[in-house]
Amino acid sequence: MAATATMAMPLANRLRCKPNTNSSSPSRTLFGRRVTMISSSRWGSAVSGSAIMSAAADVAAAVRREEDEEMRSYLSPEKLEVLTQMEPWVEEHVLPLLKPVEAAWQPSDLLPDPAVLGGEGFHAACAELRERAAGVPDLLLVCLVANMVTEEALPTYQSSLNRVRAVGDLTGADATAWARWIRGWSAEENRHGDVLNRYMYLSGRFDMAEVERAVHRLIRSGMAVDPPCSPYHAFVYTAFQERATAVAHGNTARLVGARGHGDAALARVCGTVAADEKRHEAAYTRIVSRLLEADPDAGVRAVARMLRRGVAMPTSPISDGRRDDLYACVVSLAEQAGTYTVSDYCSIVEHLVREWRVEELAAGLSGEGRRARDYVCELPQKIRRMKEKAHERAVKAQKKPISIPINWIFDRHVSVMLP
């Protein structure tokens, strides 16, 4: 389901107050709203700070009410009917992306199996696997744990999709195309955590008790996708996540493989998982494309909302039981290692904008829809500018990396450059 070190991006359009130089009346933009202030010339004194704060609070409350009303509109019978009417299309265009069980790979296909190799053969294969794993640097091992822990939190993701209106599997065995997709997708995803877990156990490079506790904590923490229950937003979120996961696992395969650190077994595991994620990405990307065709205005506004707020990552509650900033450390380590970077994030946005043909959307868009379309299309360039500015600030600040112990790898230290 999820890329582990995907980062919640800082946003170029953060709300801030700024003077209005194009109007004769003094005004400020507060929480995205233009508010006319009482001029000092009119009253003979400056408006007090408390008056400004009161105005800001009123505007913020109004914005929240509008947002709540908009989110409720996505759960209206008319919007949910769009999903219901898509059932035959899902049957024809989404369900075929699932592989038959007999044709699907299983973890035992990718790693030593004593039932196939026999006792001596199994031990020899494990010894070779451990020898290759010994060459993988700690930085990549930490990123691998984060990937595996996130994959193991599958129960959270399946339950989240089942809460989405009009598509959830209400009984646990619904016969709808949507419900069968969720169950089939979950079954395929279930193998990802299993195979990564098994590799890590056989490699001997990890403190598995600590890794297992991290899995336990992440599932126990749960995950809330904002807004909850909206199918439009849920599918935008999941399309992004599946793309990000494919990129993260694919990058890991490349970095540990023959052209990297020579661990063929791990490269094969990560590459196989990445291929699965690409199929799943195709499914969710198709669903969003269909929503944009059926309801372009609501669809593009949902895309803009998710990207404007930053895609909340499933791994963000990840914990080692010690550091409160572990997620920030994992994000920075992934950037350093090259398993998942700001550039990857930007490329995913560009890819989805192309796939969904956002730039071409015109018919059926409201003024808000057109602004949402323009925002989404301009976002990649904004991300690049933010990355450049962040790099310039880091150079000026002359920050130095800190060394931190990671209990997943027996408290060996890794160097991390925190923001």
Side-chain angles (χ1 to χ4, degrees):
M1 158 73 177
T4 58
T6 314
M7 59 213 67
M9 293 296 299
L11 302 176
N13 66 330
R14 295 196 177 194
L15 302 177
R16 56 189 181 273
C17 300
K18 60 183 180 181
N20 176 17
T21 58
N22 298 321
S23 171
S24 58
S25 299
S27 64
R28 291 178 183 271
T29 298
L30 299 175
F31 300 97
R33 294 290 195 83
R34 182 68 64 189
V35 179
T36 300
M37 309 306 296
I38 304 172
S39 71
S40 58
S41 61
R42 181 176 178 184
W43 291 99
S45 61
V47 177
S48 69
S50 61
I52 294 175
M53 293 305 296
S54 176
D58 290 344
V59 173
V63 169
R64 284 193 295 271
R65 285 194 297 270
E66 280 193 9
E67 287 184 346
D68 290 344
E69 183 178 345
E70 180 179 5
M71 290 308 103
R72 283 194 295 270
S73 75
Y74 280 95
L75 303 180
S76 68
E78 294 79 13
K79 289 287 187 287
L80 299 182
E81 181 63 20
V82 173
L83 280 298
T84 303
Q85 293 297 323
M86 284 174 60
E87 280 270 341
W89 178 87
V90 172
E91 188 84 43
E92 183 178 353
H93 296 280
V94 176
L95 283 174
L97 290 171
L98 296 172
K99 288 193 172 182
V101 174
E102 293 74 16
W105 63 268
Q106 300 299 333
S108 57
D109 297 328
L110 303 179
L111 293 169
D113 182 355
V116 174
L117 298 174
E120 290 186 6
F122 175 70
H123 288 298
C126 287
E128 182 181 356
L129 184 149
R130 291 165 76 98
E131 182 180 348
R132 294 294 181 90
V136 179
D138 287 342
L139 179 59
L140 284 173
L141 296 182
V142 174
C143 294
L144 182 66
V145 173
N147 284 347
M148 171 269 192
V149 168
T150 310
E151 294 285 359
E152 288 279 49
L154 176 64
T156 300
Y157 317 139
Q158 183 175 10
S159 63
S160 180
L161 278 177
N162 280 333
R163 288 192 298 274
V164 175
R165 300 287 179 84
V167 303
D169 185 1
L170 299 181
T171 68
D174 284 359
T176 66
W178 288 115
R180 285 183 286 128
W181 164 259
I182 292 173
R183 292 197 301 271
W185 168 80
S186 299
E188 292 191 350
E189 288 280 336
N190 186 62
R191 301 165 305 155
H192 300 172
D194 284 353
V195 72
L196 291 167
N197 191 321
R198 196 173 303 179
Y199 165 86
M200 290 164 61
Y201 178 82
L202 292 174
S203 75
R205 298 292 310 276
F206 305 88
D207 186 334
M208 292 307 297
E210 292 294 349
V211 171
E212 288 155 3
R213 291 187 188 103
V215 173
H216 193 151
R217 291 188 192 99
L218 187 59
I219 297 174
R220 185 171 175 172
S221 295
M223 179 189 74
V225 176
D226 180 35
C229 303
S230 163
Y232 287 72
H233 299 82
F235 288 131
V236 171
Y237 174 86
T238 312
F240 190 101
Q241 278 298 320
E242 295 292 67
R243 179 73 179 182
T245 306
V247 170
H249 287 302
N251 285 343
T252 304
R254 174 177 52 80
L255 291 166
V256 302
R259 295 185 180 181
H261 297 281
D263 188 338
L266 180 55
R268 185 184 180 198
V269 165
C270 293
T272 301
V273 172
D276 259 13
E277 301 292 6
K278 287 181 180 179
R279 278 192 299 109
H280 298 163
E281 175 214 336
Y284 290 108
T285 301
R286 288 181 189 180
I287 291 169
V288 176
S289 292
R290 188 70 172 182
L291 286 172
L292 287 167
E293 291 174 10
D295 191 354
D297 191 64
V300 76
R301 285 188 287 113
V303 173
R305 177 187 168 93
M306 298 306 289
L307 293 179
R308 183 177 287 115
R309 294 195 167 202
V311 180
M313 299 306 157
T315 194
S316 58
I318 197 167
S319 171
D320 60 358
R322 300 190 303 197
R323 298 188 66 94
D324 293 333
D325 64 345
L326 184 64
Y327 177 63
C329 292
V330 168
V331 168
S332 296
L333 290 171
E335 180 80 28
Q336 291 169 219
T339 57
Y340 194 83
T341 67
V342 175
S343 295
D344 291 324
Y345 186 102
C346 187
S347 295
I348 291 170
V349 175
E350 287 182 315
H351 170 80
L352 294 176
V353 168
R354 285 194 305 271
E355 286 292 310
W356 294 333
R357 303 170 70 174
V358 175
E359 194 171 356
E360 299 174 26
L361 294 175
L365 294 190
S366 63
E368 194 64 35
R370 289 191 294 272
R371 285 187 288 274
R373 175 200 61 198
D374 295 344
Y375 169 79
V376 170
C377 292
E378 293 166 4
L379 184 58
Q381 189 57 38
K382 291 180 180 179
I383 294 173
R384 289 194 180 90
R385 287 198 299 267
M386 286 189 290
K387 179 184 177 183
E388 292 170 1
K389 290 179 181 178
H391 178 71
E392 291 171 2
R393 287 194 299 269
V395 170
K396 288 180 181 178
Q398 296 183 331
K399 281 191 174 182
K400 295 182 179 179
I402 61 172
S403 179
I404 60 172
I406 303 292
N407 62 4
W408 301 333
I409 53 172
F410 304 101
D411 275 330
R412 294 194 297 273
H413 282 242
V414 295
S415 292
V416 59
M417 182 75 76
L418 291 174

